Amino acid sequence: MTKFLKLNRTGDKIPLVGFGTARITPEDTADIIYTAIKSGYRLIDAALSYGNEAQVGEGIKKAIDDGIVKREELFVISKLWNHFHSKDNVKSAFDVTLENFGLDYIDLYLIHFPFATEFVDPRSTKLTFFNDENKFALKRIPIHETWKAMENLVDLGLVRNIGLSNFNVQSILDLLTYARITPAILEIEFHPYLLQERLITWVKSQGIEVIAYASFGNTVFEEVPPTTAHLPNLLTHPTVTKIAQKHGRNNGQVLLTFATQQNIVVIPKSIQESRMKSNLDLFSYKLDADDIKELKALNANARFNDFFPNTYGFDLPIFE
Ligand SMILES: NC(=O)c1ccc[n+]([C@@H]2O[C@H](COP(=O)([O-])OP(=O)(O)OC[C@H]3O[C@@H](n4cnc5c(N)ncnc54)[C@H](OP(=O)(O)O)[C@@H]3O)[C@@H](O)[C@H]2O)c1
């Protein structure tokens, strides 16, 4: 049993718990997506840059064909990668995504990052931050051009909702001055080490709902920014363990409930069926005010998905 948030403009219902698809090998993806849907997930967070969209589509198709779910019960998300921000490329990159999924429309399309890089073939098997010469090359394309092309996808009936990922208040403020269609969602890194309370409160006051990624904080990152290297693993942090034991839950559930209880959507990924199920089972208990207070006290303004040479090979302070 999962809960929903209602999105602005369309009134579409987005589940508070969804399934992430980053870092799942293409060979395993179709089966994992099928199992996730069978386990009860109805929200799938995908992206062209994850390199497994076609296999996500396969898993979805099998689940629909087997009668586990109807298309309209699913909430499918994808994201426009940085190489495709120009008005001529948004639709053609999106067409690859739609073909990958084998669907007529998707529920939400996000601009993945607030910067544009040089064009690379959207059918390239491995999209990265770099161009064909393996260089990080920014391109002079304003976000208003990209947003207009995103709005066009809504007009064409190909996308029900559009939104943003990894944008900050300054860039959203600017976008709201010209947007014909207000973003429905902002997808950002969020966990007790990175609360961003002012950002989230403001974004929600604009009618924009929030999806959290990296709910387990530094647990999933092989390389972390130097400024965060001192922080202990969030998933096994004694405070998280203490709260989990108090409620008879596991640590992952505590970190996910920390978000959902604040009406923030979570999208954990797991290749293990037992974890898929426990990550979805968040509404049969409640964190109390003291738990939330203790978890919030862990805030270190620590962002792990940031562009440092030791993490992504280039330095770009987009969140400053
Ligand atoms: N918009 C963006 O820029 C952006 C950036 C990053 C991620 N995302 C999205 O967010 C999704 C989730 O974020 P993420 O991939 O950073 O990390 P995550 O899904 O929060 O964590 C995934 C890792 O945690 C493990 N795990 C899952 N459930 C667990 C539990 N209950 N206890 C212990 N370990 C558990 C998984 O291992 P097992 O698979 O072995 O269980 C996996 O290695 C991604 O899949 C992607 O869809 C978006």
Side-chain angles (χ1 to χ4, degrees):
M1 176 65 188
T2 189
K3 292 187 179 169
F4 298 86
L5 296 179
K6 207 167 160 183
L7 298 181
N8 70 34
R9 196 180 60 86
T10 57
D12 286 355
K13 282 158 65 188
I14 181 170
L16 263 173
V17 189
F19 192 75
T21 63
R23 292 185 288 271
I24 308 177
T25 60
E27 305 77 63
D28 297 332
T29 300
D31 284 347
I32 287 172
I33 295 302
Y34 182 82
T35 309
I37 295 173
K38 216 171 151 193
S39 303
Y41 286 89
R42 295 295 177 260
L43 159 58
I44 309 289
D45 181 80
L48 186 60
S49 65
Y50 299 161
N52 57 8
E53 254 187 0
Q55 293 77 13
V56 170
E58 256 179 67
I60 290 175
K61 182 174 183 325
K62 188 167 188 302
I64 293 174
D65 288 350
D66 287 359
I68 293 171
V69 74
K70 295 195 185 82
R71 165 64 187 98
E72 58 272 24
E73 291 165 347
L74 288 173
F75 193 101
V76 179
I77 304 177
S78 187
K79 312 185 191 86
L80 176 79
W81 190 240
N82 317 328
H83 303 318
F84 314 118
H85 276 210
S86 90
K87 58 179 181 311
D88 299 327
N89 294 331
V90 171
K91 170 91 170 43
S92 46
F94 175 77
D95 286 344
V96 176
T97 282
L98 203 59
E99 190 186 314
N100 277 341
F101 288 134
L103 299 173
D104 301 334
Y105 71 94
I106 65 167
D107 298 275
L108 175 65
Y109 198 42
L110 305 172
I111 302 181
H112 208 146
F113 281 99
F115 58 87
T117 49
E118 274 179 7
F119 180 81
V120 166
D121 183 350
R123 292 182 193 278
S124 161
T125 45
K126 203 166 187 320
L127 292 171
T128 65
F129 287 98
F130 304 103
N131 66 10
D132 287 331
E133 279 92 53
N134 216 23
K135 288 209 172 71
F136 179 71
L138 287 172
K139 193 113 204 277
R140 286 167 60 111
I141 301 167
I143 291 293
H144 65 76
E145 176 177 326
T146 312
W147 191 250
K148 203 170 169 199
M150 298 283 284
E151 291 173 329
N152 181 48
L153 297 176
V154 175
D155 296 341
L156 292 170
L158 299 172
V159 173
R160 288 200 46 85
N161 302 279
I162 48 178
L164 307 167
S165 182
N166 299 302
F167 278 58
N168 65 8
V169 173
Q170 292 189 19
S171 42
I172 300 170
L173 257 181
D174 183 54
L175 186 139
L176 291 178
T177 64
Y178 55 77
R180 181 165 57 82
I181 298 178
T182 304
I185 288 281
L186 173 67
E187 181 169 314
I188 47 170
E189 179 176 340
F190 172 83
H191 42 72
Y193 280 155
L194 183 66
L195 292 183
Q196 310 177 86
E197 286 187 293
R198 294 176 73 201
L199 166 73
I200 290 173
T201 303
W202 179 78
V203 158
K204 282 188 168 258
S205 78
Q206 302 303 304
I208 302 170
E209 296 297 348
V210 174
I211 299 179
Y213 69 75
S215 297
F216 309 132
N218 48 358
T219 313
V220 291
F221 292 88
E222 278 166 28
E223 292 284 345
V224 295
T227 48
T228 67
H230 62 289
L231 289 166
N233 183 308
L234 181 63
L235 193 60
T236 53
H237 193 289
T239 301
V240 179
T241 304
K242 188 187 84 179
I243 295 170
Q245 283 169 356
K246 175 172 142 188
H247 293 282
R249 304 283 150 165
N250 65 46
N251 290 26
Q253 287 173 317
V254 166
L255 290 172
L256 295 170
T257 311
F258 176 70
T260 56
Q261 251 178 247
Q262 300 179 61
N263 281 331
I264 293 171
V265 176
V266 290
I267 45 171
K269 160 260 169 190
S270 180
I271 59 171
Q272 300 177 33
E273 202 174 337
S274 59
R275 279 180 177 170
M276 282 180 193
K277 288 185 174 149
S278 86
N279 289 346
L280 199 54
D281 175 21
L282 306 179
F283 303 108
S284 51
Y285 84 109
K286 256 186 162 299
L287 296 173
D288 59 41
D290 285 345
D291 304 329
I292 300 275
K293 201 169 150 199
E294 279 189 71
L295 289 166
K296 283 190 173 178
L298 299 180
N299 187 30
N301 298 320
R303 183 184 302 284
F304 303 110
N305 195 32
D306 205 348
F307 301 101
F308 282 87
N310 70 322
T311 54
Y312 284 100
F314 59 95
D315 194 2
L316 189 67
I318 64 163
F319 300 100
E320 299 296 318

